[in-house]
Structures are given as C-alpha cells and as structure tokens.
Amino acid sequence: LRALLAIDPKNPLVEPAADWLLKNRRGARWSNTRDTAITLLALDDHLRATGELRSELDYEIVVNGRSLARRKVTPAEIVRAPSVFTVDPASVRDANEIRIVRHGGTAPVYFAVQATFSSAEEPVAPAGNEVFVRRSHFRLVPRATLLNGTVSDREPLEDSGTVASGERIETVLTIEAKNDLEYLLVEDLKPAGFEAVEVRSGGGLYAREVKPSSVTGKQAAMEPGDGDEFTGRTRWVYPEWRDRAAALFVDKLPQGIWEIRHTSRAETPGRFHALPALAHAMYVPEIRANSGEVRVEVKDGRR
C-alpha cells in the first residue's frame, strides 16, 4: 500500500489494499506490534492521499434490531470521535445481526467486530501449535551433608499438592520447538501465593537443550533431564520478573527440546491456581502453546 501511494496514488489497487488491512484488524490492533506499527504508517499515508479526514459522517449501529449508538462525526472531531461500542451481553444471541446504517455524509465507514469469551474448564488442558510447553514444579528440600554442606533435594509437586510458607519451589519449563523459532515469549503464570526469588530482571538465565533420547512420552508427558542428558547447547534468555508471571524472552530458539528453570518462594497461605504457562512467537501469534493448569495449597509455617 505504501509503495502504491508513493508511485501511483490513483491506482485501482489502493482501495482494496487499504480495505484488506482494515478488515484484518484484531480489535484495535493487528496481529503483533510490528505489524501494527507498519500498518499505521501505511494507513496514515492513505489518509493523506485520499483526504478522508475532511469528510463528514452520520451513522447508526443496530444490533439484533435495537439501536446501539448513533454518531455524527465532523472533520474537526473525527480523530477524537468515539470509536468503540460495547454490546450488552444480555442482548447477545447464538446468531447475531449487526447493521451499520449511513444516515448522511460521504466519509467511508471502516469497522471490525471483536468477541471475547472465557472458558470454565478446570483444570485447563495443555495444547500447542508448532511449539509445545510442559511445566513441572519441584519442592527444594534442604539436606545436610558431611562434605558439601547443605544441598537441596528435588521432590515433585503434583497438581493439588501442598507446600509450606517459606519453602522454595523450582519451576521447570520444557519447550519443544518443531521448527527454528525467533522472538519467542514464554510467560509462566505463577500461583498468587508465590513470589520470585530473583528481584532484578535481565539476569543470567539460559535454556539448555535436552537430548531427544532422554525425553519419554509425548509432548504432554515430557520429562526434564539432568547432567549428561543435555546436549551442551544453550540459548540466552532475558527474564522479566513481573507481579503475575515470569516473562522469558528468547530471540532465537533452534528446533529441538529445551529446558528453562527458575526458582520461586511460597509465601501467602491459601489455595491457589497456577494458570497455564504460555509460549508464543511474538510476531507469528498462530505459533503458540499452553501447559496444563496446576493447583497448589500453601500452608502456614514449615512442614
């Protein structure tokens, strides 16, 4: 679109190109931040070339036979005019009719419809496309030794397991990439009663490649390995320790099975849900996966 506007603004392909971009919005954005930025630059050129901002518009939105909103937009307020209208959930049916009626003006009407919903399933099952992620939790139980001082034994923390306030928990994320990936984001949503041990983002964290021979079962049953079960290949990970999640950024992840570990601490007593860990390619949102959900109880004091 930008090339056409620069070379031949009157080309008959200009309008279809702009229309295609607008119809492929996802709510108020496009599929990712890069696509959104490039598309806005192109549409800005389009508005300058067509002069649409100098037009008026009078329109009405009708949902299932009832008027949702009617607006008259003048050139002076076209940028600040209300552009998002929410349908009352009580008015939504299995099959819905949305009509946009023009009552006056010559400005074109661009529109998109967005629906949001939530799932009530419990626990959430793992799923993936081109990438798969499995999350395991282990209690780190300190044990005194004669020669090595205090070491930590790793005890599996299963779904609906129990930990004591103050105990440290190691989270193991096993990621299987079916192809070479770029700009992968893994968000490990933590239980509300847990806090990250690390306090500063950006520290040294690495993904280690696991030998395929050490992985048992399918994607949903991948087990992490230790020691010589790794290939020796690593990838640097940029971590951000957020309130709700550990956000882990990997710029390039070669095809294979990779493992990332980080540690948190159980603090607040109560029963909590660790929503699934999410993995997706930032610039190809269709490549995404989620682990299973985990429920955990934190009890007051050490066990």
Side-chain angles (χ1 to χ4, degrees):
L1 177 59
R2 298 190 75 189
L4 286 171
L5 291 169
I7 298 170
D8 183 12
K10 301 298 183 181
N11 192 292
L13 295 177
V14 167
E15 289 301 326
D19 190 53
W20 186 92
L21 287 173
L22 288 161
K23 287 183 176 179
N24 280 272
R25 284 184 296 177
R26 299 184 179 185
R29 60 184 179 84
W30 281 261
S31 62
N32 56 69
T33 53
R34 181 171 58 188
D35 285 1
T36 298
I38 296 174
T39 302
L40 288 176
L41 289 172
L43 293 177
D44 180 66
D45 291 346
H46 181 258
L47 290 175
R48 294 174 185 273
T50 60
E52 291 179 10
L53 294 180
R54 296 189 294 271
S55 304
E56 293 188 357
L57 177 63
D58 184 0
Y59 69 95
E60 182 180 14
I61 302 174
V62 181
V63 180
N64 295 329
R66 300 179 61 179
S67 177
L68 176 64
R70 179 166 178 173
R71 296 289 187 273
K72 184 174 182 179
V73 183
T74 64
E77 61 178 6
I78 193 167
V79 175
R80 298 185 300 273
S83 58
V84 178
F85 304 95
T86 303
V87 180
D88 184 353
S91 303
V92 177
R93 306 170 184 170
D94 291 339
N96 300 275
E97 180 190 58
I98 300 175
R99 292 191 297 126
I100 301 176
V101 182
R102 181 195 298 274
H103 293 288
T106 59
V109 180
Y110 302 108
F111 66 91
V113 180
Q114 180 182 17
T116 59
F117 63 93
S118 59
S119 172
E121 65 177 331
E122 184 182 327
V124 179
N129 176 41
E130 293 294 324
V131 63
F132 300 88
V133 59
R134 181 184 185 274
R135 179 178 59 188
S136 302
H137 294 97
F138 297 88
R139 295 175 56 239
L140 297 180
V141 181
R143 174 173 56 87
T145 65
L146 292 175
L147 300 178
N148 298 322
T150 301
V151 298
S152 295
D153 293 330
R154 299 164 73 243
E155 296 183 357
L157 178 62
E158 304 295 344
D159 184 28
S160 300
T162 301
V163 298
S165 177
E167 283 191 301
R168 293 199 173 196
I169 307 299
E170 183 181 61
T171 301
V172 178
L173 299 168
T174 308
I175 303 162
E176 181 176 5
K178 293 296 187 180
N179 293 289
D180 294 347
L181 301 176
E182 292 186 345
Y183 301 108
L184 185 71
L185 168 60
V186 181
E187 293 180 284
D188 180 19
L189 300 175
K190 63 184 181 182
F194 285 30
E195 294 296 336
V197 171
E198 296 288 341
V199 295
R200 187 172 66 177
S201 298
L205 190 66
Y206 289 87
R208 296 187 294 176
E209 186 178 28
V210 181
K211 294 179 181 178
S213 59
S214 68
V215 179
T216 59
K218 299 180 180 180
Q219 294 94 340
M222 291 186 295
E223 294 293 344
D226 285 304
D228 61 359
E229 297 189 353
F230 294 99
T231 66
R233 198 161 58 149
T234 63
R235 291 298 305 172
W236 182 70
V237 178
Y238 182 88
E240 288 186 0
W241 310 111
R242 301 174 178 173
D243 289 340
R244 296 182 59 250
L248 312 173
F249 297 86
V250 186
D251 60 346
K252 295 180 185 297
L253 192 71
Q255 180 181 2
I257 300 172
W258 299 82
E259 180 184 291
I260 305 174
R261 299 186 184 191
H262 66 89
T263 306
S264 57
R265 182 174 53 249
E267 291 192 350
T268 307
R271 290 188 175 94
F272 304 103
H273 290 242
L275 293 178
L278 308 173
H280 67 92
M282 296 174 63
Y283 299 122
V284 188
E286 293 77 15
I287 299 178
R288 61 187 303 111
N290 65 268
S291 71
E293 176 187 6
V294 175
R295 295 157 292 186
V296 63
E297 180 180 2
V298 179
K299 290 190 174 181
D300 192 10
R302 286 198 168 274
R303 296 174 51 176

